[in-house]
């Protein structure tokens, strides 16, 4: 192999609770409208939709940093609290019954969204990247390993802003459960170790302002504290 023309970018990674090594991130997949009440608040019928996916870029992760910089060219940046699933195995066409073998751990994350730009893209039938995949759009906490906490099938998912609860749901309300998500996603893309999946947000999304203090929580995983700056 020839040398690189310039030094390659660093590989984004997540810290792992209780360990000194870290989780190297390959891709970030996101599930859209995966809680019924959130689908309804966004104007959709949750009973009539197949799951759909979009992506963020690995270098959109905001880790080891509690300060989320308000992004450019938007006046409506929304919080979406989500459980992230981290994979240490992958493959194509993974059967539902084998899917959980791929799950290495979990993290508390935020799918920060330029809602105004996403809305314009939806209206025009354009891609969502400007709304979803901007710099620092994926604040994420440390990874907690399945080996330490077991598999999560239920538990509170919540977000408060300046001490006031805005979002609350339970993992048992996921329309598409984690094994189904992995199985369906693996039919579309070959999954691999290092992939993250953001599993969708419960109802109550809304705008943030500079100075806001966000407190995300997933029962069994932990908390994520972010200040909007
Ligand atoms: Mn989301």
């Amino acid at each position: 192999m020839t040398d690189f023309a310039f030094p390659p970018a660093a590989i984004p990674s997540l810290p792992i609770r209780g360990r000194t090594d870290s989780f190297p991130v390959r891709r970030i997949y996101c599930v859209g409208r995966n809680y019924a009440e959130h689908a309804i608040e966004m104007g959709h019928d949750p009973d009539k939709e197949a799951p759909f996916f979009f992506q963020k870029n690995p270098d959109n992760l905001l880790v080891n940093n509690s300060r989320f910089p308000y992004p450019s060219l938007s006046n409506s940046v929304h919080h979406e609290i989500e459980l992230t699933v981290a994979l240490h195995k992958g493959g194509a066409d993974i059967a539902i019954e084998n899917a959980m073998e791929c799950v290495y751990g979990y993290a508390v994350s935020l799918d920060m969204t330029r809602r105004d730009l996403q809305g314009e893209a939806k209206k025009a039938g354009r891609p969502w990247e400007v709304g979803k995949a901007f710099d620092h759009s994926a604040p994420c906490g440390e990874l907690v390993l399945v080996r330490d906490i077991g598999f999560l099938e239920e538990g509170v998912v919540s977000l408060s802003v300046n001490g006031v609860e805005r979002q609350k749901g339970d993992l048992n309300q996921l329309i598409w459960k984690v094994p189904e998500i992995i199985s369906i996603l693996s039919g579309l893309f070959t999954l691999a170790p290092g992939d993250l999946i953001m599993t969708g947000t419960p109802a109550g999304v809304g705008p943030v302002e500079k100075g806001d203090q966000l407190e995300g929580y997933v029962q069994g995983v932990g908390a994520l504290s972010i200040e909007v700056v």
Side-chain angles (χ1 to χ4, degrees):
M1 197 172 93
T2 58
D3 289 338
F4 292 119
F6 50 86
I11 295 173
S13 66
L14 293 181
I16 304 172
R17 185 180 299 167
R19 291 177 59 137
T20 54
D21 53 5
S22 62
F23 179 89
V25 178
R26 191 186 81 117
R27 293 183 183 169
I28 305 175
Y29 296 102
C30 306
V31 187
R33 300 192 284 262
N34 202 20
Y35 289 79
E37 285 176 37
H38 173 62
I40 292 164
E41 78 179 346
M42 299 304 288
H44 298 268
D45 182 344
D47 295 327
K48 289 192 178 160
E49 286 195 327
F52 71 95
F53 305 95
F54 58 92
Q55 284 172 267
K56 290 179 185 264
N57 301 298
D59 69 350
N60 296 152
L61 284 167
L62 181 68
V63 293
N64 294 320
N65 191 335
S66 59
R67 291 158 69 84
F68 167 77
Y70 199 95
S72 62
L73 298 174
S74 176
N75 294 307
S76 182
V77 176
H78 277 205
H79 53 75
E80 296 191 359
I81 183 70
E82 312 205 358
L83 173 73
T84 282
V85 175
L87 306 188
H88 64 159
K89 273 184 65 179
D93 299 318
I94 298 166
I96 289 177
E97 55 269 29
N98 299 328
M100 294 310 284
E101 293 169 16
C102 301
V103 177
Y104 182 58
Y106 302 97
V108 183
S109 59
L110 284 162
D111 168 13
M112 299 303 290
T113 302
R114 284 166 165 152
R115 193 71 76 203
D116 44 1
L117 300 192
Q118 184 201 23
E120 289 168 20
K122 282 183 187 175
K123 217 178 293 174
R126 290 180 183 150
W128 283 11
E129 280 86 350
V130 294
K132 289 290 194 179
F134 55 91
D135 294 346
H136 315 299
S137 61
C140 191
E142 64 183 359
L143 206 58
V144 184
L145 300 186
V146 166
R147 114 166 33 127
D148 294 327
I149 63 164
F151 291 119
L152 294 177
E153 289 176 358
E154 56 182 13
V156 172
V157 179
S158 64
L159 181 93
S160 67
V161 180
N162 303 323
V164 178
E165 188 173 271
R166 294 271 191 88
Q167 291 192 261
K168 190 172 189 182
D170 193 292
L171 293 174
N172 65 19
Q173 298 167 338
L174 285 171
I175 296 171
W176 301 95
K177 310 295 184 193
V178 173
E180 295 171 304
I181 293 168
I182 291 170
S183 180
I184 295 166
L185 196 54
S186 74
L188 293 163
F189 305 97
T190 300
L191 301 178
D195 289 348
L196 299 177
I197 305 172
M198 300 179 73
T199 55
T201 197
V205 300
V208 300
E209 307 289 343
K210 284 181 188 173
D212 281 351
Q213 194 68 44
L214 313 185
E215 289 285 332
Y217 174 72
V218 177
Q219 189 176 2
V221 182
L224 175 66
S225 299
I226 297 289
E227 183 186 1
V228 180
V229 298

